[in-house]
Amino acid sequence: WQLGWSHWDAKPDAALAGEQNAARLWGYYTWGGLKAGLAYDRSRIHTGGGADTSRRTAWSIPLRYRTGSHNFHADYTRAKDDKVTAAADGARLFALAYVYELSKRTSLALSYARLRNDAGAIYNLDGSAGAQGSPSGAVAPGEDPRVIATTIRHAF
């Protein structure tokens, strides 16, 4: 077993005119080649006067299985609707990956991820063009981005 907790606070600045804070609790259990986890995240943004402008919770279940040079990954994550907004702005993420280790430093991977946004949600996949600032990769409300990727990784 392993458990962890973190808390984050951003103090007021001119751009926010308020504060952001988040708390995360996570843990996992390893049994043989199987590693199962659970994470819970609560975050909020509030104005200098103390009124919340955003309040959201999310949870995730990551699973890993390793046998020899083969690694299998499956993840399910759910972001619930923001409690301050009226819109249906939650999302669900499902991801699968297979990783084959060629050596201690080199691996090949095949992965798939699908994000399902509610009608008012604009979540995007990390590392996508929209997350890097390109308007061509931006997600419109309710769009469901997905990715299929092959990866070659070598650690120097």
Side-chain angles (χ1 to χ4, degrees):
W1 281 98
Q2 182 167 348
L3 295 173
W5 177 81
S6 64
H7 186 267
W8 175 80
D9 274 316
K11 298 302 177 196
D13 65 18
L16 293 174
E19 289 185 344
Q20 296 183 25
N21 59 44
R24 180 172 292 161
L25 177 66
W26 72 92
Y28 64 86
Y29 180 74
T30 304
W31 183 52
L34 178 65
K35 183 176 184 179
L38 180 63
Y40 177 80
D41 179 275
R42 184 189 59 178
S43 53
R44 74 180 200 166
I45 302 172
H46 51 272
T47 64
D52 287 346
T53 57
S54 178
R55 192 170 65 244
R56 180 209 35 94
T57 60
W59 54 268
S60 182
I61 301 172
L63 299 172
R64 308 286 183 264
Y65 182 72
R66 181 180 183 155
T67 177
S69 296
H70 306 276
N71 295 278
F72 302 90
H73 303 252
D75 292 273
Y76 181 78
T77 302
R78 170 75 192 207
K80 300 192 88 175
D81 289 339
D82 190 316
K83 293 188 185 324
V84 177
T85 64
D89 53 6
R92 292 155 311 284
L93 172 70
F94 178 71
L96 292 172
Y98 168 73
V99 180
Y100 180 74
E101 296 172 355
L102 297 169
S103 69
K104 287 184 178 184
R105 298 182 341 167
T106 307
S107 62
L108 300 173
L110 176 64
S111 59
Y112 170 79
R114 180 173 182 122
L115 182 60
R116 291 188 180 264
N117 281 313
D118 289 346
I122 56 170
Y123 288 95
N124 204 350
L125 298 167
D126 186 36
S128 66
Q132 301 299 324
S134 168
S136 63
V139 173
E143 278 189 327
D144 298 332
R146 61 182 158 227
V147 65
I148 296 174
T150 56
T151 307
I152 299 172
R153 179 184 173 272
H154 181 76
F156 291 94

